[in-house]
Amino acid sequence: MTERIAQHPDLPLFSSPKKSFSFTFNGKTIEAHEGDTVASALIAAGVRITSRSFKYHRPRGPKDNFGQGPELLMTVDHAPNVRSDMIPVRAGMQVETQNAWPSTQLDLMSINNFAVPLLPNGFYYKMFHKPKWLWPIAERFIRKAAGLGKIDTQGRAVDTRYEKRYRFPDVCVVGSGPAGLASVKAALDAGKQVLLIEEQEQLGGHSRHTVFKVENCREKKLNGLTEQEAVRSLIDEIEKHPNLEILSQTQAFAVYEDNLVAAQRGTELFKIRAISVVFAPGATDRHLVFDNNDKPGIMTGRGVERLIALHGIKPARRAVVITTHDGGYHTAKLLHGAGTEVLAVVDGRQKPPKNDWVDGIRKLGIPIFEGKTIHRVKGLNQVKKVEIGDLHGQFSSLSFACDLVVLAVGYQPQLNLLSQGRTRPVWDKKRQILRVTDLPQNIYAAGEVQGSASFARLYQEGFEAGRAAAQQSSLSESQRDENELIEALPADIESGGKHHFICPCMDVTRSEACHSIEEGFDQVETLKRYSSMGMGPCQGKTCHEAVARLAARDTGLSETEAVPTTMRPPLSPVSFGILAGRAPHLVPQRRTAMHHCHRKAGAAFLNAGQWKRPHSYLPPQEEALMVRKGLGIIDVSTLGKLELSGPDVMDFLHFMLPGKFRQLAVGRVRYSTMIGEDGILFEDGTISHLEEGVYYLSTTTGNQAAIESLFRWWVLTDQFKVHIKNLAPVHAAVNVAGEKSREFIQKLVDIDMSNEAFPYMACRKSTIADVPVLLFRIGFTGELGYEIHFPSEFGAPLWEYFLEQGKSYPLKPFGVETQRILRLEKGHLIPGVDTDALSNPYEAGVDFTVKEDKENFVGKAFLKNFKERGIENKLVSYKLNSADPIPEDGVAILKNGKIIGRVTSSRMSPTLGFGIGLAWVPRDLSGAGSRFQIRLANGQDVTAETLDHAAYDPQGERLTS
Amino acid sequence: MSFMLTCPNCGKRQVGEFTFRGYFKSRPQQSDDFASWTSYVYFNKNKIGKQWEWWNHASGCQRWFIVDRDSAKSTDHQSVWFENRKTLEHE
Ligand SMILES: [Zn+2]
């Protein structure tokens, strides 16, 4: 029975929530108060069963209300697996339960529960492993039975925008309890930039619901206040500090090398690179194993305190508090003040100390049972009765009828972030906790993660950690007094019964774990994998300590040898959207200097690496004919352009490229391939001798950065005295192609453009409209044409000048797709399109660029080997009959039903009126006139004929005349 | 990989700014047999532990340099210019 409360005698800062609003839960309208989480609103509305367990579909209810276990995972506004106790509820939210069919209240799958003995550990694995044919059917059943939330395949949440954000603080503090706040203060005092991450909406950690009095604190003004008041005062002091950024409602879910902390807030991913990180994540109530320890109505001490102090909820009518330390008395006091009848405090200590808290409970007339603990709870769907007895579960002596059992039996540190993939926590015999002692440089841990302690000590430890983090100095070993230690109960109270759940996420009981050990999985890591303990949604946050202690015990080790399994990121569920971020993210988009001219002209664009290039302005087939019959211009600014000079430049060219260039006179251009050390063709381009000792190398769009860095590497390793100047971003470039291009350009320049003065494969310097230009007479398109390179700041004005001056022809722009058709008519290959990582220059038909008789050059050893091996396959031009359909790029070439080759580029030739292309075929089909079958994507075959020359202008007369 | 790599020119930067060109190895002589070229090109050691590596500050100063790095513990490394590689302790 839950109720809202309006005031509380023990909580000085208590303020009853004012505004209320509504949201829906499985379609039903639920009232919520301001400040509620989804879970607290549901609890206040009396919802006790919030999910069904993974394997047995047992009812599960709220436990710690702190995002630790799987019980409160829900689908919120179509997003699955949201920790409903960690997010504030908002008006109109749509909340649904998961993993229950047809509903959480009546789950028909819970029949599994009654069949516990029939579902041994590894059941699914063993049962459905063989025969193989059964698996698809079984899998469908298992998935339905075990689904944890459903992905929104309807895309109802696709308008969500994910963002990545970056922070570079001096000190990053995770957790804002007493230790975290003290760390922040110390680091701020040292003048550092500080980033504070807090999971909850409000700062303060467990102290927000704690009213122990602060004593002996180094921060004198806090003494005499309650912890609640003390953290409030600290927050007020630092909150507005200009050097502090607070990320609340933010979950740090991973820590990587060199202090990279990953955190999420809603749909934002924060990548935080801090010089130092202080982890003060605190601790949660210990998970205790006993019979029916998973029943709804069993909550942790702090879980109950949160409901009372933060949400104003009286959580039950009658409660029994199970404890081993004064914190249980604190919880009992808060429960009593909220109006819950506390039937008993069951203290595992033989002799609880005499202090205000214990005496206070006695004075209220609440019976205290010493040296006793919980044995089991009873009740079908929720707690109805609790039985208590001795610490080892042998003799149950008492029982109480109640609707709430509070477990406050010590704290387990939140170790995940501290140990992720680096340090394995060890069992601290004195503090009776798993603890990380050996931390990497510039990572500090403070507070309850080192063991629970008084406020004054948590503050002190946090302050020292903050100061050490600011100075990057070492931190003295953390200390605990005798009276701060909490004795751990046996990890499992062995009181009989079958339902001792070690891992509530994956529904693994103690007896199942023991069976797995008997089957031979007796190392904690294999035991975990076989039994799936700790592999559920909570990733061991709840159960890692119980798993470690019981695994040690059941494999015959002592508890001091207990080690938890490796903890890995993420600490809490992270959606794929968070990791993917906004698309396209962080990839620069590059545009040429003429980009807006193309847009104005109505170009369609394509992506060429990072570049946006015009695909075409008109239908490409029309554009191609326009170039063949008239005059066209294309923006080729994206070409790589390197200027090479220096005393060793010729040696360098001879070493880097497969050809010879000593005969290349000033003013001449040559085509060259580029070959890797593995003898594979990976690039081509032209090399031009601009002036004595200065060479200009043009490369393809995609490779420009890679080739520059490759050249620089070789210059360095082989100590060439060569100067490399990357002119790619400096030079814009166009190609003017068509029969009339000479006549057109002659009008713009004052050099002699005649065939004799400026022949094919030559280059000249000149000016156009007073802009210095480099002219290259080359012909990728197969027409008479000139590439013109000029400073990119004149990109747009010169582009428009060309179009204006060429109006009478008319000169029209054409796009990349059109250029691909034109070059295919000439049979020119494009590296990476028509070649791959197996293409050598002999087979690709560009061996005319290779001069093997050079002494030493990149790729020589492999080229020699390839040459000796001979040609197995060849890249050839082919043509189809005019009536044949055009194959898709990449389709297969077949012979007697076997794949023997493939098409790399395929287009309709508008000039010739039939399909043309490039294809890899076996050597015996590479001779002119050979015929082979191309299989289209739709299954149809067409017959292609191998050509030994370009389909268009085989003699190259148009280029050279 | 999320570590901070030291560029001898620019200092510690996010590793994503750099490109990697394998571990440092000597190119065979042109007269060496084909087997030594094959192992040079294709057979990499994939070593766990310290090795010299080639890194390029591609999204920064564009310089190549040598990093003496423990491939299992990336945070532990030393970066030098190629010319100064002999100052590193071992190869
Ligand atoms: Zn640099």
Side-chain angles (χ1 to χ4, degrees):
Chain A
M1 243 337 259
T2 53
E3 269 169 46
R4 295 279 184 178
I5 52 171
Q7 72 255 336
H8 195 291
D10 303 310
L11 296 164
L13 295 186
F14 190 87
S15 66
S16 58
K18 283 155 200 84
K19 274 207 302 204
S20 71
F21 52 86
S22 65
F23 68 104
T24 66
F25 175 64
N26 289 339
K28 273 193 310 205
T29 303
I30 302 266
E31 195 194 71
H33 284 190
E34 219 172 33
D36 268 334
T37 61
V38 171
S40 75
L42 292 174
I43 293 165
V47 175
R48 292 306 282 270
I49 303 172
T50 51
S51 64
R52 288 278 172 169
S53 74
F54 183 68
K55 201 157 68 183
Y56 303 128
H57 287 253
R58 286 167 66 88
R60 294 278 165 82
K63 225 166 172 175
D64 65 7
N65 309 313
F66 195 56
Q68 298 297 295
E71 302 86 8
L72 289 169
L73 289 176
M74 293 184 189
T75 297
V76 176
D77 290 339
H78 310 300
N81 301 327
V82 173
R83 297 182 304 161
S84 65
D85 44 349
M86 297 303 281
I87 58 158
V89 64
R90 300 199 199 291
M93 238 177 197
Q94 286 172 275
V95 179
E96 282 151 71
T97 48
Q98 306 180 155
N99 198 28
W101 182 80
S103 77
T104 39
Q105 302 305 311
L106 170 71
D107 186 345
L108 296 179
M109 303 295 283
S110 70
I111 192 75
N112 283 0
N113 188 21
F114 300 108
V116 166
L118 303 177
L119 276 175
N121 219 20
F123 165 77
Y124 290 130
Y125 175 75
K126 285 177 208 153
M127 187 67 198
F128 298 113
H129 183 53
K130 275 173 185 171
K132 222 175 173 178
W133 61 264
L134 187 59
W135 179 243
I137 302 161
E139 191 187 20
R140 207 180 314 154
F141 169 77
I142 293 167
R143 291 232 182 274
K144 187 166 180 183
L148 278 169
K150 286 196 177 60
I151 290 172
D152 175 24
T153 51
Q154 301 298 306
R156 283 170 295 193
V158 287
D159 57 345
T160 309
R161 176 156 153 173
Y162 296 94
E163 287 289 357
K164 292 188 181 180
R165 306 202 183 282
Y166 297 83
R167 294 291 186 276
F168 303 90
D170 297 324
V171 179
C172 174
V173 178
V174 179
S176 72
L181 290 172
S183 294
V184 169
K185 189 168 147 55
L188 288 173
D189 286 354
K192 299 295 177 187
Q193 291 281 344
V194 183
L195 181 75
L196 174 61
I197 301 175
E198 169 55 51
E199 243 183 313
Q200 302 279 307
E201 201 175 13
Q202 308 221 10
L203 307 184
H206 72 273
S207 291
R208 286 174 68 210
H209 48 80
T210 308
V211 289
F212 284 118
K213 282 267 186 303
V214 177
E215 288 165 351
N216 304 321
C217 186
R218 60 170 289 149
E219 186 71 24
K220 297 276 181 289
K221 66 174 187 213
L222 302 181
N223 288 324
L225 300 177
T226 66
E227 288 195 25
Q228 243 192 351
E229 294 165 329
V231 290
R232 188 67 255 162
S233 149
L234 279 173
I235 295 161
D236 289 343
E237 185 188 337
I238 59 170
E239 194 168 46
K240 297 272 165 358
H241 198 290
N243 288 347
L244 174 65
E245 182 183 9
I246 299 170
L247 296 177
S248 60
Q249 259 193 282
T250 305
Q251 164 94 59
F253 64 83
V255 188
Y256 302 99
E257 294 154 309
D258 280 330
N259 293 352
L260 180 70
V261 179
Q264 57 176 336
R265 179 176 69 186
T267 55
E268 295 166 302
L269 172 66
F270 286 86
K271 294 186 181 185
I272 300 152
R273 181 79 71 174
I275 294 171
S276 303
V277 184
V278 178
F279 287 101
T284 52
D285 281 289
R286 173 168 276 147
H287 173 60
L288 186 64
V289 183
F290 54 89
D291 194 26
N292 278 332
N293 63 332
D294 64 331
K295 285 275 178 210
I298 301 173
M299 288 197 205
T300 67
R302 284 184 172 173
V304 165
E305 291 181 7
R306 271 185 275 273
L307 291 181
I308 300 169
L310 310 182
H311 304 297
I313 295 169
K314 169 191 162 186
R317 191 176 289 157
R318 280 184 210 90
V320 171
V321 177
I322 314 295
T323 192
T324 54
H325 57 99
D326 294 351
Y329 294 82
H330 180 270
T331 312
K333 188 91 193 306
L334 294 193
L335 270 171
H336 178 82
T340 299
E341 188 187 344
V342 181
L343 301 175
V345 173
V346 180
D347 194 332
R349 295 176 289 191
Q350 294 302 332
K351 227 176 158 31
K354 288 206 176 310
N355 62 35
D356 292 354
W357 289 94
V358 178
D359 294 347
I361 290 299
R362 259 187 241 285
K363 268 182 209 141
L364 289 170
I366 297 170
I368 298 171
F369 296 90
E370 295 163 1
K372 293 205 168 6
T373 195
I374 189 165
H375 281 193
R376 65 185 64 79
V377 297
K378 295 204 161 162
L380 185 59
N381 276 328
Q382 60 186 57
V383 171
K384 290 260 160 56
K385 198 165 102 175
V386 57
E387 293 179 10
I388 64 166
D390 70 299
L391 299 187
H392 296 281
Q394 301 303 305
F395 308 102
S396 306
S397 48
L398 278 165
S399 73
F400 301 94
C402 59
D403 55 348
L404 174 66
V405 172
V406 181
L407 292 178
V409 292
Y411 302 104
Q412 47 191 31
Q414 296 241 41
L415 294 169
N416 303 54
L417 289 172
L418 278 175
S419 64
Q420 269 180 15
R422 319 175 197 210
T423 335
R424 227 173 251 265
V426 290
W427 182 254
D428 184 326
K429 213 172 160 187
K430 186 172 162 234
R431 297 184 196 184
Q432 302 258 294
I433 50 168
L434 285 164
R435 194 159 80 87
V436 176
T437 47
D438 177 27
L439 286 169
Q441 237 189 336
N442 296 340
I443 287 196
Y444 303 86
E448 284 196 325
V449 75
Q450 300 282 31
S452 56
S454 68
F455 184 98
R457 185 184 296 284
L458 297 178
Y459 185 92
Q460 175 75 21
E461 202 167 84
F463 195 88
E464 282 169 9
R467 192 167 51 193
Q471 295 162 351
Q472 299 178 60
S473 57
S474 62
L475 184 61
S476 55
E477 174 63 13
S478 102
Q479 302 291 328
R480 291 293 180 271
D481 284 344
E482 209 59 48
N483 64 2
E484 287 168 322
L485 303 176
I486 299 172
E487 189 81 15
L489 288 169
D492 181 13
I493 309 296
E494 294 167 342
S495 53
K498 290 194 183 72
H499 303 109
H500 292 236
F501 285 92
I502 303 182
C503 168
C505 287
M506 301 305 288
D507 263 358
V508 182
T509 63
R510 173 85 182 283
S511 63
E512 286 173 309
C514 288
H515 283 138
S516 301
I517 292 166
E518 278 164 26
E519 287 179 66
F521 299 93
D522 58 358
Q523 298 295 314
V524 69
E525 292 285 0
T526 52
L527 178 60
K528 165 184 156 178
R529 281 158 181 75
Y530 184 66
S531 67
S532 71
M533 286 191 292
M535 290 168 71
C538 95
Q539 284 294 291
K541 283 199 285 290
T542 309
C543 64
H544 76 269
E545 187 196 276
V547 168
R549 288 175 70 196
L550 290 170
R553 182 158 168 202
D554 293 338
T555 54
L557 303 171
S558 82
E559 225 158 66
T560 55
E561 291 165 283
V563 284
T565 52
T566 315
M567 298 179 190
R568 295 187 178 86
L571 170 58
S572 57
V574 179
S575 72
F576 285 119
I578 285 265
L579 300 177
R582 179 150 56 108
H585 65 107
L586 290 184
V587 177
Q589 281 190 23
R590 306 184 72 182
R591 303 185 175 95
T592 71
M594 297 82 130
H595 186 81
H596 66 273
C597 306
H598 308 322
R599 280 187 58 173
K600 222 163 52 192
F605 287 90
L606 56 76
N607 295 324
Q610 295 175 345
W611 291 95
K612 294 275 169 206
R613 298 193 67 188
H615 171 275
S616 55
Y617 305 78
L618 300 169
Q621 296 275 318
E622 266 177 53
E623 272 182 12
L625 282 177
M626 174 198 87
V627 176
R628 291 274 179 252
K629 299 203 164 101
L631 193 56
I633 182 168
I634 179 171
D635 177 1
V636 293
S637 305
T638 58
L639 291 174
K641 308 164 201 89
L642 294 177
E643 192 188 281
L644 306 172
S645 58
D648 294 341
V649 67
M650 186 48 64
D651 290 344
F652 182 66
L653 289 175
H654 275 199
F655 182 71
M656 285 308 305
L657 304 177
K660 287 182 175 176
F661 303 95
R662 273 188 222 287
Q663 306 300 319
L664 188 67
V666 171
R668 297 299 299 189
V669 180
R670 192 172 293 165
Y671 172 78
S672 177
T673 53
M674 289 191 66
I675 310 293
E677 200 71 286
D678 55 2
I680 298 301
L681 164 72
F682 70 94
E683 175 64 321
D684 68 356
T686 59
I687 179 104
S688 307
H689 199 168
L690 282 188
E691 55 190 72
E692 198 52 51
V694 180
Y695 294 84
Y696 192 79
L697 186 73
S698 73
T699 60
T700 57
T701 300
N703 268 337
Q704 52 167 269
I707 285 173
E708 188 198 352
S709 87
L710 180 72
F711 275 28
R712 291 194 188 281
W713 186 78
W714 279 110
V715 163
L716 180 64
T717 53
D718 282 54
Q719 300 290 299
F720 287 104
K721 292 191 188 68
V722 171
H723 188 61
I724 299 170
K725 204 195 281 180
N726 184 0
L727 295 175
V730 182
H731 280 179
V734 298
N735 190 352
V736 179
E739 209 181 336
K740 296 275 163 60
S741 54
R742 176 186 293 127
E743 179 191 315
F744 168 61
I745 292 169
Q746 184 65 77
K747 289 198 288 191
L748 310 178
V749 297
D750 54 10
I751 56 169
D752 183 359
M753 294 292 290
S754 71
N755 198 28
E756 296 70 37
F758 191 170
Y760 181 56
M761 296 307 269
C763 62
R764 297 287 181 268
K765 285 183 176 178
S766 184
T767 58
I768 294 177
D770 293 333
V771 176
V773 297
L774 296 172
L775 294 157
F776 303 88
R777 185 175 162 195
I778 49 183
F780 194 47
T781 61
E783 294 300 325
L784 175 68
Y786 300 87
E787 225 169 78
I788 309 171
H789 293 217
F790 49 95
S792 53
E793 55 265 44
F794 298 105
L798 221 46
W799 174 266
E800 272 164 3
Y801 179 76
F802 286 129
L803 289 176
E804 178 63 31
Q805 295 295 311
K807 232 178 197 166
S808 55
Y809 291 97
L811 172 67
K812 293 273 187 182
F814 64 99
V816 175
E817 173 57 22
T818 306
Q819 190 185 41
R820 284 181 185 165
I821 296 171
L822 295 170
R823 65 94 194 181
L824 206 56
E825 289 180 336
K826 288 296 291 178
H828 292 314
L829 65 84
I830 300 178
V833 172
D834 301 300
T835 70
D836 61 19
L838 295 174
S839 308
N840 71 52
Y842 304 102
E843 295 191 333
V846 288
D847 46 321
F848 64 89
T849 62
V850 180
K851 302 284 177 270
E852 298 97 349
D853 57 346
K854 287 192 296 180
E855 195 180 305
N856 181 15
F857 65 98
V858 174
K860 178 171 177 173
F862 272 83
L863 285 172
K864 184 161 166 270
N865 179 265
F866 286 139
K867 189 161 190 181
E868 283 163 11
R869 208 161 77 184
I871 285 166
E872 289 163 22
N873 294 290
K874 204 151 194 312
L875 183 66
V876 296
S877 287
Y878 68 82
K879 67 170 196 172
L880 304 176
N881 289 317
S882 52
D884 287 336
I886 307 301
E888 298 80 0
D889 287 350
V891 293
I893 293 165
L894 281 97
K895 187 179 185 181
N896 302 330
K898 278 175 77 180
I899 294 175
I900 53 162
R902 68 192 166 89
V903 171
T904 58
S905 296
S906 162
R907 293 290 185 277
M908 176 70 193
S909 165
T911 320
L912 305 169
F914 49 77
I916 51 160
L918 285 168
W920 284 96
V921 295
R923 198 170 76 137
D924 60 325
L925 293 175
S926 65
S930 305
R931 284 168 189 280
F932 54 86
Q933 304 294 317
I934 298 173
R935 168 91 27 111
L936 273 62
N938 66 8
Q940 189 190 342
D941 285 346
V942 293
T943 303
E945 185 191 327
T946 306
L947 301 174
D948 64 350
H949 54 75
Y952 176 74
D953 186 22
Q955 304 306 317
E957 283 156 0
R958 300 181 71 87
L959 283 171
T960 52
S961 59
Chain B
M1 290 223 302
S2 75
F3 65 99
M4 302 286 281
L5 188 72
T6 307
C7 167
N9 207 36
C10 311
K12 272 197 166 190
R13 309 290 303 169
Q14 316 252 6
V15 70
E17 290 184 11
F18 299 85
T19 55
F20 174 66
R21 200 186 153 82
Y23 66 94
F24 181 87
K25 48 184 176 181
S26 312
R27 190 170 184 259
Q29 297 294 309
Q30 210 70 68
S31 54
D32 287 348
D33 62 359
F34 188 58
S36 46
W37 281 95
T38 307
S39 43
Y40 169 65
V41 171
Y42 289 110
F43 298 134
N44 290 312
K45 287 187 201 153
N46 208 16
K47 185 179 166 184
I48 298 175
K50 283 234 172 200
Q51 61 181 7
W52 288 9
E53 295 171 346
W54 277 110
W55 288 84
N56 178 227
H57 197 184
S59 301
C61 65
Q62 320 267 305
R63 298 281 305 263
W64 284 101
F65 52 93
I66 302 279
V67 179
D68 185 9
R69 184 180 75 112
D70 186 331
S71 59
K73 269 190 306 191
S74 308
T75 50
D76 215 9
H77 69 264
Q78 201 188 341
S79 306
V80 295
W81 295 126
F82 175 69
E83 306 82 274
N84 302 337
R85 65 191 184 282
K86 298 282 191 277
T87 62
L88 295 170
E89 279 161 24
H90 62 96
E91 188 173 340

